[in-house]
Amino acid sequence: MDRRQVLAAGAVGMATAALGSGTAAAGQSGGVHGEMAAGLGAMADALGAAPTVVDRGIGWTRTRFLIEDDGVPYAVDVVADTAQRPRSLAYLLPGGGLNFTANFFTPRERNLAHHLRRLGHLVIGITPREDLATAADIGAGWGLAAHRVDARRVIDAVDAALRLPYQLIGHSAGAALALDLAGRGDGRRLERVVLLDTTGPYEGEPAVRAGQARDAFQSLIDQGSYANDPGLEGLLARALSDPDGASPVPRPVDPTTRFTNAGLAHYALIRTNTLPGPANWIYRQGHAAGTYTFGASPAEDRFTLAHSPLPVWGEATGDLGSGLVPHALLRDLCAIWAGDDATYRIAWDRIRAEVVWINMELGRGDHPLGAHLIRRNGNRHVTFQVVPGYGHGDPVWGEQSDIEVWPLLTPK
């Protein structure tokens, strides 16, 4: 037995101990725990990685596999219920610059991963490789295809080990990845593709703007610039630690004055589409629903978030790794929005699983062409709907998302 097998065996033992700490139903616990330990062991063998228990609570455990190949590793998190056998798998694919913890495991006790676990899914979060990378690690080849290869490796390995039906659930860029996987994989056990606030091709003037954004990101790549840091972590950290402090950013109503740290964070979240950058125009309003009213001075500005509290945003961004977004990924997303199949093509005609597409009114809004393309190619199991009053991040972090959004992910 080599060292990796020894490590995997020891880690599986730790996972079994964690599973044993749950409150399993009488007469069922041994079977569930034994099957889960065996499943983790099979996944360890298939992934070639040793599992590590990173968190646990009443009725659940969270285990991480670190996939170390091709230089920079990437993380795979498994959230398991300790009181019931999983009936299927739910792969969670984070948005650009986010990881599984930030996107789907925040707040710790009330999050989308736990919601799906309680429904009987074994939750598997695949964090993009750039989360553990430095800017120097990221190159011109870190586009959507590279993300698909990493995710496909995990899905194929887990499928070989567990052979359970599965669904793909993605948010933002992760939803585009879910579409790409669904259009290119064999799909034998893929049952459903769930898309949270993403965009297929635009029509008219937005498609032209998407093409311009694609060209802007390609130009950055040609100049040797391969990644972007949106800076949300620092922005929110300052807003929470020193809310009344002066930021360096001028207020649009009076450029001689500066936003407070709290004001700037709220403005950036609520009015994202007014910020500079090649792709901020894609939001109907912003990352978060809310209101911002300018006062006579920065201290008199009034602002509030409608659904997702600022501390939750801070918790999510505080759990980020690098927070970097590869320019090649952004270029490929813009190509999809522009309908530029020569740069990047989603195989709309090969998506045969059920598709549940849920956009946010103030996020990506009502742009259903991607859903229509899937339907036009013979898939009758496609729904598209828009949640009113929600921003881009609100479906995962909103205080009422478990009532107003999450039930829509698993239609009856």
Side-chain angles (χ1 to χ4, degrees):
M1 182 178 289
D2 66 22
R3 181 174 180 273
R4 187 160 59 189
Q5 289 175 306
V6 171
L7 288 172
V12 170
M14 290 174 61
T16 305
L19 290 167
S21 69
T23 56
Q28 190 183 32
S29 60
V32 173
H33 298 165
E35 288 175 13
M36 188 57 60
L40 288 170
M43 289 177 62
D45 290 340
L47 293 170
T52 301
V53 176
V54 295
D55 201 0
R56 68 187 71 172
I58 297 174
W60 61 271
T61 186
R62 178 180 171 194
T63 305
R64 175 169 296 162
F65 297 83
L66 201 60
I67 311 300
E68 301 190 54
D69 64 351
D70 298 330
V72 179
Y74 62 104
V76 177
D77 287 85
V78 179
V79 180
D81 198 291
T82 61
Q84 60 179 326
R85 295 177 178 86
R87 57 180 176 81
S88 65
L89 311 174
Y91 290 95
L92 298 188
L93 308 173
L98 298 177
N99 57 28
F100 167 76
T101 303
N103 209 155
F104 301 116
F105 208 75
T106 301
R108 181 178 180 270
E109 296 295 343
R110 187 194 59 80
N111 54 61
L112 184 54
H114 279 321
H115 171 77
L116 294 165
R117 169 186 64 81
R118 294 186 187 103
L119 292 178
H121 303 291
L122 182 67
V123 175
I124 302 175
I126 305 176
T127 291
R129 195 181 290 263
E130 56 265 22
D131 184 65
L132 295 177
T134 65
D137 294 321
I138 298 174
W142 288 48
L144 188 56
H147 290 72
R148 186 186 73 244
V149 168
D150 283 346
R152 185 82 259 166
R153 174 186 170 180
V154 174
I155 293 167
D156 287 347
V158 174
D159 183 67
L162 302 184
R163 299 193 175 279
L164 287 171
Y166 68 92
Q167 57 183 294
L168 302 170
I169 302 175
H171 181 214
S172 191
L177 175 57
L179 287 165
D180 200 19
L181 287 163
R184 296 174 189 260
D186 58 17
R188 286 175 299 173
R189 275 180 275 273
L190 175 59
E191 294 186 328
R192 180 181 294 145
V193 182
V194 180
L195 312 168
L196 279 173
D197 211 40
T198 198
T199 314
Y202 289 109
E203 298 178 287
E205 189 267 343
V208 174
R209 296 188 70 176
Q212 294 168 343
R214 171 206 57 207
D215 295 343
F217 287 118
Q218 183 60 56
S219 178
L220 288 170
I221 294 168
D222 293 342
Q223 296 168 35
S225 174
Y226 301 127
N228 171 54
D229 181 358
L232 278 177
E233 180 176 2
L235 180 72
L236 287 156
R238 290 187 293 273
L240 291 167
S241 64
D242 183 19
D244 297 325
S247 80
V249 179
R251 296 160 74 233
V253 294
D254 181 2
T256 65
T257 61
R258 300 292 184 265
F259 281 104
T260 65
N261 288 327
L264 178 60
H266 282 80
Y267 190 83
L269 292 176
I270 296 167
R271 300 193 183 178
T272 315
N273 65 350
T274 68
L275 302 180
N280 284 326
W281 59 270
I282 63 175
Y283 302 106
R284 289 289 302 276
Q285 180 173 298
H287 288 301
T291 58
Y292 198 108
T293 303
F294 288 105
S297 69
E300 295 172 279
D301 287 356
R302 294 293 175 261
F303 40 80
T304 185
L305 298 177
H307 301 292
S308 306
L310 196 70
V312 174
W313 282 89
E315 180 184 348
T317 55
D319 282 326
L320 295 179
S322 70
L324 297 171
V325 186
H327 286 150
L329 174 62
L330 292 168
R331 176 206 58 208
D332 292 344
L333 294 174
C334 291
I336 293 168
W337 306 336
D340 172 16
D341 288 350
T343 298
Y344 206 92
R345 178 178 182 271
I346 296 292
W348 307 103
D349 56 321
R350 295 182 58 195
I351 299 174
R352 292 288 174 250
E354 178 186 7
V355 175
V356 178
W357 197 318
I358 306 166
N359 272 14
M360 306 300 120
E361 179 188 22
L362 304 179
R364 298 297 181 83
D366 190 8
H367 293 284
L369 180 55
H372 291 337
L373 289 173
I374 302 171
R375 287 196 199 100
R376 289 173 192 171
N377 284 282
N379 187 338
R380 298 180 180 180
H381 305 287
V382 181
T383 59
F384 179 91
Q385 57 189 311
V386 177
V387 178
Y390 269 61
H392 184 60
D394 293 328
V396 288
W397 297 313
E399 291 183 305
Q400 298 297 313
S401 293
D402 57 333
I403 298 170
E404 298 177 342
V405 181
W406 299 348
L408 305 176
L409 276 60
T410 51
K412 301 299 183 184

